[in-house]
């Protein structure tokens, strides 16, 4: 069982790394200004502690909100997920410090109001599931708790290439700080 979870997590991380390395390579050759001023902050996500209930199932406490601060507990796989609002619409997202940009799939982009004319899938991206195309968009705002960030760069991938929303550095770098300690990720605006 644990081996299966390890393979699943490894595949997820491999897909994520390949997707964003491909996007970064495509942008570096076509649109170098996307990388201007990108802070390469990192957080050690491997130090997450896990909390279990008496029956051994993982327990993830509700996020702690405080004005323009939020603290998220790691889930059983060590991931930090939260309830975001993107352009005013509720979205479950996975915070990913290894992702250069926020990434969402085409279905979510359409729910957020992006039309086919606005989604120019011109960036070739290689993933573990094969090749797909990505479209660059600018999100009006990304919110979690009392934190609100405006003008966040994102990429939209085809639905078969991305099933979850990844909240990457294009959001995190606009915060005053973020840090990982004692199994929780703290965000501050």
């Amino acid at each position: 069982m644990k081996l299966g979870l390890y393979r699943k997590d490894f595949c997820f991380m491999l897909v994520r790394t390949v997707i964003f390395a491909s996007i970064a390579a495509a942008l570096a050759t076509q649109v170098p200004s996307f990388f201007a001023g990108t802070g390469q902050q990192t957080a050690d996500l491997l130090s997450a502690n896990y909390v279990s209930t008496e029956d051994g199932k993982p327990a993830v406490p509700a996020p702690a909100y405080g004005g323009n601060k939020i603290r998220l507990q790691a889930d059983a796989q060590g991931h930090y997920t939260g309830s975001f609002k993107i352009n005013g619409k509720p979205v479950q997202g996975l915070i990913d410090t290894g992702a250069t940009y926020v990434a969402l799939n085409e279905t979510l982009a359409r729910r957020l109001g992006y039309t086919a004319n606005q989604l120019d899938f011109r960036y070739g991206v290689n993933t573990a599931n094969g090749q797909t195309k990505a479209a660059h968009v600018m999100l009006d705002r990304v919110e979690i708790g009392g934190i609100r960030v405006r003008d966040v760069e994102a990429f939209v991938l085809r639905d078969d290439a991305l099933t979850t929303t990844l909240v990457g550095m294009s959001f995190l770098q606009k915060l005053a700080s973020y840090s990982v300690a004692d199994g929780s990720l703290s965000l501050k605006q």
Side-chain angles (χ1 to χ4, degrees):
M1 180 74 170
K2 287 186 179 186
L3 183 59
L5 288 176
Y6 172 77
R7 286 182 183 157
K8 180 180 174 187
D9 289 342
F10 177 76
C11 289
F12 174 77
M13 290 178 0
L14 179 62
V15 168
R16 183 201 72 202
T17 302
V18 170
I19 287 170
F20 289 101
S22 297
I23 289 172
L27 286 177
T29 60
Q30 296 177 20
V31 190
S33 64
F34 285 167
F35 293 102
T38 301
Q40 293 301 321
Q41 303 168 348
T42 58
D44 181 9
L45 299 181
L46 300 176
S47 65
N49 295 323
Y50 306 109
V51 179
S52 298
T53 60
E54 290 180 15
D55 63 1
K57 294 182 180 175
V60 179
Y65 298 97
N68 62 354
K69 295 179 189 177
I70 185 171
R71 189 177 67 239
L72 301 170
Q73 288 297 122
D75 65 15
Q77 290 80 34
H79 301 144
Y80 297 98
T81 60
S83 296
F84 289 82
K85 282 189 179 180
I86 298 179
N87 293 354
K89 307 269 186 190
V91 174
Q92 275 300 116
L94 171 73
I95 295 178
D96 186 351
T97 60
T100 305
Y101 299 98
V102 171
L104 41 120
N105 64 27
E106 187 174 6
T107 298
L108 175 58
R110 293 196 187 272
R111 189 167 67 89
L112 296 174
Y114 293 96
T115 65
N117 291 337
Q118 294 170 304
L119 297 176
D120 181 9
F121 289 93
R122 65 179 167 156
Y123 298 101
V125 178
N126 292 312
T127 72
N129 293 329
Q131 189 171 26
T132 190
K133 296 287 186 175
H136 180 260
V137 296
M138 186 65 74
L139 303 173
D140 178 48
R141 65 190 181 283
V142 177
E143 304 170 74
I144 184 167
I147 296 174
R148 176 184 282 189
V149 175
R150 296 185 91 43
D151 301 323
V152 178
E153 284 187 275
F155 277 89
V156 178
L157 280 72
R158 300 288 187 187
D159 289 344
D160 58 348
L162 184 66
T163 58
T164 188
T165 300
L166 300 177
V167 180
M169 292 303 297
S170 60
F171 168 78
L172 293 171
Q173 73 183 7
K174 293 190 172 208
L175 301 177
S177 67
Y178 64 94
S179 61
V180 174
D182 300 324
S184 65
L185 172 66
S186 297
L187 307 174
K188 182 178 177 184
Q189 186 173 33

